[in-house]
Amino acid sequence: MTNDLGRWVIVIIVAGASAGGLYYEYQSMRPCVRPVEYAIGAVDPRFGVSTSTLMTEAALAGAIWNEAAGKSVLVYDPEAKMKINFVYDEREANAKKGSQITLEQDALDAERSRIDTLEAQFKSRQDAYNSRVKILNARGGATKEEAVQLDAEKASLQQLASTINSGVASYNAAVKALNGTVNEYNRSAGRTFEEGQYVRDSAGERINIFEFIGTTQLERVLAHEFGHAIGLDHNDNPKSIMAAKNESGNLVPTKDDLAALATLCGA
């Protein structure tokens, strides 16, 4: 009888210890109980961004959720298993091409404005020249000094016309070249690209960043993927950090972001 009781006592103690272990494991896996640790992983040098800048932007992006949650839900750890990788492919190349197109368009607009100004100056001076010639001819001709002045002005006008014509030719060639670049860009831009992705599979967790122009967009992409890493899903508010499309540029969690975070982590 004593042996039987001993066996039952042992079973109860072991079962209790097992349940405690399962409870601890369950607690540690719950969202927001332990912070998600991250590190900077592989960075393609073609992004042209230093690791220190990436670390700074990741810290800023993580702080958005840490402040919203009122505790650290994301922390940097150089040994963390979850890496943020910067994968350069046609998405980033195309984004940079779009940015370059904008710069070239601005430059062409400035050049067109310059040419328009020169053309206005030419017309004004040409009208004045022709009016002066008409007056002198009606008077019976110009004096030697007047003729010299007119010849100088005529030569200056011809030089200005040559400058304008050369500028117009260069402008038209640049427009033609830019149109070709724009057509190429549009063929790629017509497809939907994801700027980043959070992946959790049998190989572990990771964040891949494919595209960003400037640190503000990078911070928002990181904040969005960090949101997925702590367990947030997309919401329908286009202003939200967790909106499916990164179009607003907003870096402040919306009420929808905060509601989802409260549901996930507790009030």
Side-chain angles (χ1 to χ4, degrees):
M1 180 67 69
T2 301
N3 289 339
D4 289 341
L5 179 60
R7 284 198 299 272
W8 278 110
V9 170
I10 291 173
V11 169
I12 291 172
I13 291 174
V14 170
S18 175
L22 288 173
Y23 177 75
Y24 174 78
E25 182 179 357
Y26 166 73
Q27 283 290 92
S28 68
M29 292 177 63
R30 288 177 62 199
C32 305
V33 171
R34 294 179 59 187
V36 174
E37 299 173 341
Y38 68 89
I40 303 299
V43 180
D44 193 303
R46 287 175 290 182
F47 278 97
V49 182
S50 67
T51 300
S52 61
T53 297
L54 298 178
M55 290 176 63
T56 297
E57 295 307 316
L60 291 172
I64 292 172
W65 296 117
N66 290 341
E67 292 174 8
K71 59 182 177 180
S72 294
V73 292
L74 289 152
V75 296
Y76 172 79
D77 181 345
E79 302 302 321
K81 293 182 179 180
M82 188 179 80
K83 307 294 185 185
I84 304 175
N85 303 306
F86 291 80
V87 183
Y88 193 102
D89 60 12
E90 62 179 315
R91 282 165 279 211
E92 177 65 11
N94 202 57
K96 286 189 173 181
K97 185 179 293 181
S99 181
Q100 184 60 36
I101 286 173
T102 299
L103 292 176
E104 290 183 18
Q105 286 175 331
D106 290 343
L108 282 173
D109 287 344
E111 176 62 10
R112 177 59 186 266
S113 179
R114 187 186 75 88
I115 292 173
D116 287 345
T117 299
L118 290 178
E119 288 180 332
Q121 291 174 358
F122 177 84
K123 186 177 186 307
S124 178
R125 288 175 57 186
Q126 183 185 49
D127 289 345
Y129 173 85
N130 290 335
S131 178
R132 181 61 174 163
V133 169
K134 185 177 180 180
I135 291 172
L136 292 176
N137 286 337
R139 193 185 67 183
T143 65
K144 182 177 181 180
E145 182 178 353
E146 289 171 335
V148 169
Q149 291 175 348
L150 286 172
D151 286 343
E153 178 63 4
K154 180 180 180 180
S156 179
L157 283 169
Q158 289 174 337
Q159 179 60 46
L160 180 56
S162 178
T163 299
I164 292 172
N165 289 334
S166 177
V168 169
S170 296
Y171 173 84
N172 288 338
V175 168
K176 182 178 180 180
L178 180 59
N179 284 338
T181 302
V182 169
N183 289 335
E184 181 181 350
Y185 170 78
N186 286 339
R187 283 194 293 272
S188 297
R191 289 172 285 172
T192 300
F193 287 143
E194 54 184 359
E195 297 165 329
Q197 64 176 185
Y198 166 73
V199 180
R200 182 177 184 180
D201 55 22
S202 59
E205 296 177 87
R206 58 198 173 276
I207 290 175
N208 296 322
I209 303 298
F210 301 111
E211 174 191 340
F212 61 89
I213 296 296
T215 54
T216 299
Q217 188 183 29
L218 171 58
E219 186 179 338
R220 181 170 166 82
V221 174
L222 286 169
H224 181 92
E225 301 310 331
F226 274 158
H228 286 312
I230 63 177
L232 296 175
D233 293 323
H234 290 151
N235 66 55
D236 296 328
N237 186 341
K239 296 291 185 182
S240 292
I241 292 175
M242 295 311 297
K245 293 184 178 180
N246 181 14
E247 295 177 338
S248 73
N250 176 43
L251 286 168
V252 179
T254 64
K255 62 179 182 180
D256 300 282
D257 290 323
L258 295 175
L261 184 66
T263 300
L264 184 73
C265 299

